[in-house]
Coordinates of all heavy atoms in Angstrom, one line a residue:
D1 N -10.8 144.5 26.6 CA -10.5 144.1 25.2 C -10.1 145.4 24.5 O -10.9 146.3 24.2 CB -11.7 143.5 24.6 CG -11.4 142.9 23.2 OD1 -10.3 143.2 22.6 OD2 -12.2 142.0 22.7
L2 N -8.8 145.5 24.1 CA -8.3 146.7 23.4 C -7.9 146.4 22.0 O -7.3 147.2 21.3 CB -7.1 147.2 24.2 CG -7.3 147.7 25.6 CD1 -6.0 147.9 26.3 CD2 -8.1 149.0 25.7
R3 N -8.4 145.3 21.5 CA -7.9 144.9 20.1 C -8.4 145.9 19.0 O -7.6 146.0 18.0 CB -8.5 143.5 19.8 CG -7.8 142.4 20.6 CD -8.4 141.0 20.3 NE -9.8 141.0 20.7 CZ -10.6 140.0 20.5 NH1 -10.2 138.9 19.8 NH2 -11.9 140.0 21.0
E4 N -9.5 146.5 19.2 CA -10.0 147.4 18.2 C -9.9 148.9 18.7 O -10.5 149.8 18.0 CB -11.4 147.1 17.8 CG -11.6 145.7 17.1 CD -13.0 145.5 16.6 OE1 -13.5 146.3 15.8 OE2 -13.6 144.5 17.1
T5 N -9.3 149.1 19.8 CA -9.1 150.5 20.3 C -8.0 151.2 19.5 O -7.0 150.6 19.1 CB -8.8 150.4 21.8 OG1 -9.7 149.6 22.5 CG2 -8.8 151.8 22.4
I6 N -8.2 152.5 19.3 CA -7.3 153.3 18.6 C -6.5 154.2 19.5 O -7.1 155.0 20.3 CB -8.0 154.1 17.5 CG1 -8.8 153.2 16.6 CG2 -7.0 155.0 16.7 CD1 -9.8 154.0 15.7
F7 N -5.2 154.1 19.5 CA -4.3 155.0 20.2 C -3.4 155.8 19.2 O -2.7 155.2 18.5 CB -3.4 154.2 21.2 CG -4.2 153.6 22.4 CD1 -4.6 152.3 22.3 CD2 -4.5 154.3 23.5 CE1 -5.2 151.6 23.3 CE2 -5.1 153.7 24.6 CZ -5.5 152.4 24.5
Q8 N -3.5 157.1 19.3 CA -2.7 157.9 18.4 C -2.0 159.1 19.2 O -2.7 159.8 19.9 CB -3.6 158.5 17.3 CG -4.1 157.5 16.3 CD -5.0 158.1 15.2 OE1 -5.4 159.2 15.3 NE2 -5.2 157.3 14.2
N9 N -0.7 159.2 19.0 CA 0.0 160.3 19.6 C -0.2 160.3 21.1 O -0.5 161.4 21.7 CB -0.3 161.6 19.0 CG 0.6 162.7 19.4 OD1 1.8 162.5 19.6 ND2 0.1 164.0 19.5
C10 N -0.1 159.2 21.8 CA -0.4 159.1 23.2 C 0.9 158.8 24.0 O 1.9 158.2 23.4 CB -1.4 158.0 23.6 SG -3.1 158.4 23.0
G11 N 1.0 159.2 25.2 CA 2.1 158.9 26.1 C 1.6 158.1 27.3 O 0.5 158.4 27.8
F12 N 2.3 157.0 27.6 CA 1.8 156.1 28.7 C 2.9 156.1 29.8 O 4.0 155.8 29.6 CB 1.7 154.7 28.1 CG 0.7 154.5 27.0 CD1 1.1 154.9 25.7 CD2 -0.5 154.0 27.2 CE1 0.2 154.7 24.6 CE2 -1.4 153.9 26.2 CZ -1.1 154.2 24.9
E13 N 2.5 156.5 31.0 CA 3.4 156.6 32.1 C 2.8 155.9 33.3 O 1.7 156.3 33.8 CB 3.8 158.1 32.4 CG 4.8 158.2 33.5 CD 5.2 159.6 33.8 OE1 5.0 160.5 32.9 OE2 5.8 159.9 34.9
G14 N 3.4 154.9 33.8 CA 2.9 154.1 34.9 C 1.6 153.4 34.6 O 0.8 153.2 35.5
V15 N 1.4 153.0 33.4 CA 0.2 152.4 33.0 C 0.3 150.9 33.2 O 1.3 150.3 33.0 CB -0.2 152.7 31.5 CG1 -1.4 151.9 31.0 CG2 -0.4 154.2 31.3
D16 N -0.8 150.2 33.6 CA -0.8 148.8 33.8 C -1.9 148.2 32.9 O -3.1 148.6 33.0 CB -1.1 148.5 35.3 CG -1.0 147.0 35.7 OD1 -0.9 146.2 34.8 OD2 -1.2 146.7 36.9
F17 N -1.5 147.2 32.1 CA -2.5 146.6 31.2 C -2.8 145.2 31.7 O -2.8 144.2 31.0 CB -1.9 146.5 29.8 CG -1.8 147.8 29.0 CD1 -0.6 148.5 29.0 CD2 -2.8 148.3 28.4 CE1 -0.4 149.6 28.3 CE2 -2.7 149.5 27.7 CZ -1.5 150.2 27.6
D18 N -3.1 145.1 33.0 CA -3.4 143.8 33.7 C -4.5 143.0 33.0 O -5.6 143.4 32.9 CB -3.8 144.2 35.1 CG -3.9 142.9 35.9 OD1 -3.0 142.0 35.9 OD2 -4.9 142.8 36.7
Y19 N -4.1 141.8 32.6 CA -5.0 140.8 32.0 C -5.9 141.4 30.8 O -7.0 141.0 30.6 CB -5.9 140.2 33.0 CG -5.3 139.2 33.9 CD1 -4.8 139.6 35.2 CD2 -5.1 137.9 33.5 CE1 -4.2 138.6 36.0 CE2 -4.4 137.0 34.3 CZ -4.0 137.3 35.5 OH -3.4 136.4 36.3
S20 N -5.3 142.4 30.1 CA -6.1 143.0 29.0 C -5.6 142.4 27.7 O -4.6 141.8 27.6 CB -5.9 144.5 29.0 OG -6.6 145.1 30.1
D21 N -6.5 142.5 26.7 CA -6.2 141.9 25.4 C -5.7 142.9 24.4 O -6.5 143.8 24.0 CB -7.5 141.2 24.9 CG -7.3 140.3 23.7 OD1 -6.2 140.4 23.1 OD2 -8.2 139.5 23.3
L22 N -4.5 142.9 24.0 CA -3.9 143.8 23.1 C -3.5 143.2 21.8 O -2.7 143.7 21.0 CB -2.6 144.5 23.8 CG -2.8 145.5 24.8 CD1 -3.3 145.0 26.1 CD2 -1.4 146.2 25.1
R23 N -4.0 142.0 21.5 CA -3.6 141.3 20.3 C -3.9 142.1 19.0 O -5.0 142.6 18.8 CB -4.4 140.0 20.2 CG -3.9 138.9 21.3 CD -4.8 137.7 21.2 NE -6.2 137.9 21.6 CZ -7.2 137.1 21.5 NH1 -6.9 135.9 20.9 NH2 -8.4 137.4 21.8
G24 N -2.8 142.3 18.3 CA -2.9 143.0 17.0 C -3.1 144.5 17.1 O -3.2 145.2 16.2
L25 N -2.9 145.0 18.4 CA -3.1 146.5 18.6 C -1.9 147.2 18.1 O -0.8 146.8 18.2 CB -3.3 146.7 20.1 CG -3.5 148.2 20.5 CD1 -4.8 148.7 20.0 CD2 -3.4 148.3 22.1
C26 N -2.2 148.4 17.4 CA -1.1 149.2 16.9 C -0.8 150.3 17.9 O -1.6 151.2 18.2 CB -1.5 149.8 15.6 SG -0.3 150.9 14.9
L27 N 0.5 150.3 18.4 CA 0.9 151.3 19.4 C 2.2 151.9 18.8 O 3.0 152.4 19.6 CB 1.2 150.6 20.7 CG 0.0 150.1 21.4 CD1 0.4 149.2 22.6 CD2 -0.9 151.2 21.9
D28 N 2.3 152.0 17.5 CA 3.5 152.6 16.9 C 3.7 154.0 17.2 O 2.8 154.8 17.5 CB 3.3 152.5 15.4 CG 3.2 151.0 14.9 OD1 3.5 150.1 15.7 OD2 2.9 150.8 13.7
D29 N 5.0 154.4 17.3 CA 5.4 155.8 17.4 C 5.0 156.5 18.7 O 4.9 157.7 18.8 CB 5.0 156.6 16.2 CG 5.5 156.0 14.9 OD1 6.7 155.8 14.8 OD2 4.7 155.9 14.0
Q30 N 4.7 155.7 19.8 CA 4.2 156.3 21.0 C 5.2 156.0 22.1 O 6.1 155.2 22.0 CB 2.8 155.8 21.3 CG 1.8 156.3 20.3 CD 0.4 155.8 20.4 OE1 -0.4 156.3 21.2 NE2 0.1 154.7 19.7
T31 N 5.1 156.7 23.3 CA 6.1 156.6 24.3 C 5.5 155.9 25.5 O 4.4 156.1 26.0 CB 6.5 158.0 24.7 OG1 7.0 158.7 23.6 CG2 7.6 158.0 25.8

């Protein structure tokens, strides 16, 4: 469950969000 997780200035390479909950998650301005 990542709904309340905070990601700031992160880079994602080869990441798999398998069956995870990203509803409403802010991933703005990231790569």
Side-chain angles (χ1 to χ4, degrees):
D1 189 342
L2 297 168
R3 288 176 295 174
E4 296 184 59
T5 306
I6 301 166
F7 291 95
Q8 293 180 344
N9 194 31
C10 290
F12 301 79
E13 183 174 344
V15 174
D16 186 353
F17 289 98
D18 184 47
Y19 284 100
S20 289
D21 193 343
L22 283 69
R23 289 177 294 173
L25 181 64
C26 179
L27 295 168
D28 296 349
D29 302 311
Q30 296 175 84
T31 303

